[in-house]
Amino acid sequence: MPERRKKRGPMIDFLLIGLIISLTTIILVIILSKDDFKFQKISASKETDSNSITSNLSTESSAFPGIRIVTDVSNDKRTPFAIHYPETDNKAFNDAVLQYITDSKENYLSSMKKNKDKEAMGELNISLETFPYQKHYYSFVLTKTLYTGGANPEISTKTFFINHETGKLIPIETLLNNDENNLSALATYVRKDLQQNPKLKEELFKDDVIKSTEPKWSNFHRFAIVDNSLQFYFDEYEIASGAAGPQTVKLPLSLINPLLASEFQIAMQKPTKPVNVGDPNKKRIALTFDDGPHPKVTEQILNTLDKYNAKATFFMLGSRVQYYPDIAKDVLARGHEIGNHSWDHPVLTKLSLEQAVNQYTSTFAEIEKAINHKPTVFRPPYGATNDTINAQIPIPVVLWSIDTLDWKHRNAQQLLPHVKNNLHNNAIVLMHDIHQSTADGLDAVLAYLQGQGYEFVTVSEILPYRQK
Ligand code: ZN
C-alpha cells in the first residue's frame, strides 16, 4: 500500500503542474494578444454605408495615457476626407464621439451626392486637439472644416470633456455644480466678453449674441479647459459675420473659480509669508524695478545690486518675459523677487474685468513657464486698479511710496535726489529697468542708503512692516 501511494503521488503532482503551466500560458497569450490589439497600430479597410468610399482607418496610442487616436482618411478624388478623433476604454464616450463623426461623414457624403456639379470637389477635415486639466481631466476639441463644392468652408467646433479615470463624459452642468445661479453668472461673463471685444465691434450680430448667451445650459455645451481658462466656442455666423470667423471666449479660471464645482476649482495662490521677519526697529527699504526685463539695463542693475549685496523686486511684463526669458531667469537666480506687472502695460481699469484678469493670468503663466517659479506680487501699470480687480488677484497688489520719476527725467544724476527727498523707513521705491539712466544712477542711490544704515529687502519682506 505505501509503495502504491508513493508511485501515484508524483504522477498526480506532475499532471497538476502540467495543468497549471498550460492554463498560465493560455491566460498569458490572451492578455498579450489583447494588449497587442489595444496598442498596436491596426489598419483595416472599411466600406462606408452611404457611399462606396474606401476609407483607411487606423488607431494608435497617444502621448496621453488612456487616449487612442483614430485616423480615418479617404483619398477619394471627389469626396476626400481626413478625420481624427479620440477613443478611450469607455463605451459611452466612444459612442458619443462616433455618433458625431458618423453624422458628419454622412452629411458630407450626402450633400456631395446631391451636388449635381460632378466636377465639384468636396473636403471634410476634422482635427483634434487634446488638453489635459489637473490629474484626471481631458478636453477634446474637434474642429470641422467642411467644403461641399462651394468656395468657402463651413467651420464648426465640437467638444468633449471627460474624467479619464472613470471614462465619463462631464457636461457643463456638472462643471458648474448644477447651479442655475452659476450658469447666470457665467452667461453674463461670456456675453460681456463678446460685446466688449474691440475686434468684433462691427461684426457682431447683436440679437444672436443675446440669444446665444442666454443662461440656458444648451448654450454652453461647447467648452474646454485650456491653459487655465474655460473656453466657449461659437461657430462661424453664429454670433458674428463670416469676416470675423468662429469665436472663442476665454474666461480665466481665477475669475470664474467660485462658479465651479469644487473638484474643478484651481488652487488659488496664497500670499507668501515673508522669509525673514527681522528686527522691527531696523531700517529697511524695498527697491523695485518695473517694465523689464531688458537685456542690457536689467543686467547692469543686477550687477550693481550684487555689489551692495542688495535684494530687490522686479515687476515684469509678460510680453517682455516672452522675449527675454533668460534675463528673467537671471533675476531669479540672483535672489531677487519676481513680480507680475501685466502683459503689455494697459490701464487695467479701462478694460473689462475679464480682460484685466487675463492680463494677470497670461503674465503669471508666461513667467512661470520662463523661470519655473511663480511671481509673488502684482503691480498694476500706472498703479491704476480698483477693488473689483484687486479681488480677482490672488497675490498681494503692491504700489509704491517713493516715485523716482526716472521715466520722466531720464537723468542718472537725479535718481538719488528723488530718493533722498522722500526717504522714509519701510519705503517702496519705484524705478524702471528699461532706462539706461536708471542703471547708471543706481550705484549712488545704493551707496547713500547703505551709508544711512538701510537694509535692501524685497517687497514681500517689507510688506509686514507697512501700515495698510
Ligand atoms: Zn510700469
Side-chain angles (χ1 to χ4, degrees), residues 290-291 315 317 341-342 345 379-383 400 430-432:
D290 290 11
D291 300 0
F315 289 94
L317 293 175
H341 192 43
S342 83
H345 216 275
R379 175 176 285 166
Y382 315 102
W400 56 86
L430 171 64
M431 291 176 276
H432 296 84

Side-chain angles (χ1 to χ4, degrees), residues 169-178 217 260-264:
L169 270 166
I170 299 165
I172 188 68
E173 287 90 334
T174 309
L175 201 72
L176 299 185
N177 213 13
N178 283 299
W217 293 112
L260 303 176
S262 58
E263 61 265 43
F264 304 107

Side-chain angles (χ1 to χ4, degrees), residues 344-358:
D344 54 6
H345 216 275
V347 177
L348 296 182
T349 49
K350 285 189 180 162
L351 303 179
S352 75
L353 184 58
E354 295 96 299
Q355 288 168 328
V357 176
N358 258 324

Side-chain angles (χ1 to χ4, degrees), residues 229-419:
S229 285
L230 179 59
Q231 306 200 348
F232 292 94
Y233 299 86
F234 296 92
D235 290 342
E236 217 176 2
Y237 302 110
E238 190 175 345
I239 47 133
S241 72
Q247 295 302 318
T248 307
V249 170
K250 299 178 189 179
L251 303 177
L253 290 181
S254 58
L255 173 70
I256 54 154
N257 218 30
L259 309 181
L260 303 176
S262 58
E263 61 265 43
F264 304 107
Q265 288 183 344
I266 49 165
M268 297 291 265
Q269 206 186 346
K270 297 272 181 331
T272 42
K273 290 257 159 59
V275 199
N276 48 5
V277 179
D279 178 359
N281 300 315
K282 223 174 161 184
K283 281 166 111 177
R284 63 182 72 73
I285 195 161
L287 305 178
T288 67
F289 300 93
D290 290 11
D291 300 0
H294 184 288
K296 182 165 178 277
V297 178
T298 307
E299 284 299 316
Q300 189 181 327
I301 287 173
L302 289 174
N303 291 338
T304 308
L305 290 170
D306 276 356
K307 187 176 153 191
Y308 292 88
N309 193 24
K311 295 295 172 255
T313 305
F314 291 75
F315 289 94
M316 300 179 178
L317 293 175
S319 57
R320 294 188 64 94
V321 171
Q322 198 179 30
Y323 292 118
Y324 307 112
D326 290 344
I327 309 286
K329 265 183 217 156
D330 199 23
V331 173
L332 179 73
R334 288 156 90 159
H336 305 290
E337 181 165 27
I338 309 287
N340 177 336
H341 192 43
S342 83
W343 182 261
D344 54 6
H345 216 275
V347 177
L348 296 182
T349 49
K350 285 189 180 162
L351 303 179
S352 75
L353 184 58
E354 295 96 299
Q355 288 168 328
V357 176
N358 258 324
Q359 286 277 335
Y360 167 82
T361 315
S362 55
T363 303
F364 181 92
E366 189 65 39
I367 290 176
E368 197 181 19
K369 191 177 96 189
I371 68 176
N372 197 22
H373 182 89
K374 295 172 171 58
T376 38
V377 279
F378 177 73
R379 175 176 285 166
Y382 315 102
T385 186
N386 55 40
D387 290 346
T388 320
I389 294 172
N390 291 350
Q392 303 296 335
I393 310 291
I395 55 179
V397 177
V398 181
L399 304 183
W400 56 86
S401 63
I402 298 177
D403 189 350
T404 61
L405 298 175
D406 60 339
W407 57 274
K408 206 171 171 185
H409 55 67
R410 307 279 183 100
N411 183 337
Q413 312 306 319
Q414 285 197 38
L415 201 63
L416 178 56
H418 274 93
V419 175

Side-chain angles (χ1 to χ4, degrees), residues 168-194:
K168 277 192 184 142
L169 270 166
I170 299 165
I172 188 68
E173 287 90 334
T174 309
L175 201 72
L176 299 185
N177 213 13
N178 283 299
D179 186 330
E180 301 271 340
N181 293 326
N182 291 343
L183 173 65
S184 294
L186 182 95
T188 308
Y189 280 130
V190 174
R191 180 177 293 179
K192 267 196 190 163
D193 191 279
L194 288 168

